[in-house]
Amino acid sequence: MDVIPAIDLLEGHCVRLYQGDYDRSQVFSENPADVAKQWVDEGATRLHIVDLDGAKAGKVVNLRAIEAIAHAVSVPIEIGGGLRDRTSVQQVFNLGIQWAILGTIAVEQPQLVQELCQEFPEQIIIGIDARNGLVATRGWLETSEVLATQLAVQMQELGAAAIIYTDIHRDGTLTGPNLEALRELAAAISIPIIASGGVSSVTDLLSLLALEPQGVTGVIVGRALYTGDILLKEALRAIGPGRIQDIPPNLDFSTFA
């Protein structure tokens, strides 16, 4: 299972929000590119970036910081926040970003999502951010009447490469992932699901590992990495490639020899 460090950008800084509240942000670094390099140096094979200003503005805002991160590391990057038209999507792909995460337009402009999935196959991920099971849009400032599972099924049919599912009530709270919601989502679709929100410990990561056979292939970790509640290297050893339980036993060795 992929362990994907999150880098949330607000006014050019690396921050974390509490339950998506812009007024409850904490700055962890003024140089997001350095943060990206740190996570890659510690073993990250993929990064998750959110342009928080972009999510509110409806367009890419932190372009300079995104470009700096893309130039600083060589691992694939996924990015969301404010990608609501073709121009914005093309803009981030031009920087070398691997995946564009679409949220608001998945609800408001599904036809555009279908066109983008056709134009950029396997590069469009749908970010489903849910509040009490209903999809939130526009930087989590509005809540729709669309059920998360219904949207996921629709987006799979339109050609989405994967779904990132975030439980807003758990995001930035370190209260653990919403396993029940993830299990329900996994039962409804067959494309990969990336879990996000609430991960606070290696124990939480191991609980998600049980959902891997159902299609939960990755987990985004944010605040817990920045507070030190989770060490990336330990997380990778627990659930990443070559995790301890995947190492075959040495059958030639015997403690009685």
Side-chain angles (χ1 to χ4, degrees):
M1 180 177 286
D2 286 328
V3 180
I4 311 169
I7 300 175
D8 289 2
L9 303 174
L10 188 65
E11 298 178 354
H13 302 148
C14 175
V15 308
R16 292 304 296 168
L17 304 185
Y18 182 86
Q19 295 184 338
D21 189 342
Y22 283 72
D23 294 325
R24 302 173 75 180
S25 65
Q26 181 179 357
V27 175
F28 283 100
S29 174
E30 295 185 359
N31 192 327
D34 284 349
V35 174
K37 286 188 288 186
Q38 175 187 339
W39 297 140
V40 172
D41 287 345
E42 292 184 17
T45 58
R46 177 170 177 168
L47 295 176
H48 175 84
I49 301 176
V50 179
D51 184 346
L52 294 172
D53 298 294
K56 289 179 69 174
K59 61 181 181 181
V60 181
V61 174
N62 287 285
L63 194 62
R64 183 176 297 178
I66 295 166
E67 186 173 18
I69 292 171
H71 288 165
V73 299
S74 57
V75 300
I77 297 171
E78 60 192 31
I79 184 167
L83 302 181
R84 297 179 195 164
D85 55 44
R86 186 196 175 281
T87 300
S88 296
V89 172
Q90 185 67 70
Q91 192 175 28
V92 296
F93 284 154
N94 288 344
L95 297 177
I97 300 299
Q98 183 68 32
W99 297 283
I101 304 167
L102 309 182
T104 296
I105 66 170
V107 175
E108 299 180 356
Q109 301 180 66
Q111 179 60 38
L112 177 57
V113 173
Q114 184 176 32
E115 293 170 4
L116 291 169
C117 287
Q118 292 172 349
E119 184 175 359
F120 306 105
E122 300 303 316
Q123 288 189 273
I124 302 298
I125 293 174
I126 303 302
I128 296 182
D129 307 324
R131 186 181 282 118
N132 298 322
L134 297 174
V135 179
T137 61
R138 301 187 175 274
W140 299 357
L141 300 177
E142 298 179 14
T143 303
S144 72
E145 295 300 316
V146 180
L147 289 172
T149 50
Q150 290 178 336
L151 183 62
V153 170
Q154 181 187 16
M155 293 299 108
Q156 174 177 266
E157 293 172 350
L158 295 183
I163 300 292
I164 293 176
Y165 179 82
T166 303
D167 186 307
I168 293 173
H169 285 311
R170 304 200 181 212
D171 189 69
T173 64
L174 302 180
T175 54
N178 189 332
L179 299 177
E180 183 179 349
L182 287 165
R183 201 172 285 115
E184 181 181 351
L185 190 63
I189 61 175
S190 58
I191 57 176
I193 298 168
I194 299 170
S196 176
V199 174
S200 64
S201 65
V202 171
T203 300
D204 287 337
L205 295 176
L206 291 171
S207 71
L208 285 168
L209 192 59
L211 300 181
E212 186 181 29
Q214 299 175 45
V216 180
T217 62
V219 53
I220 295 167
V221 186
R223 179 176 292 274
L225 287 177
Y226 293 92
T227 59
D229 289 282
I230 293 177
L231 299 179
L232 183 57
K233 290 182 179 180
E234 290 184 0
L236 291 168
R237 281 198 296 268
I239 70 168
R243 54 184 177 252
I244 294 171
Q245 57 266 52
D246 286 345
I247 300 173
N250 183 353
L251 299 179
D252 293 329
F253 176 79
S254 170
T255 56
F256 301 104

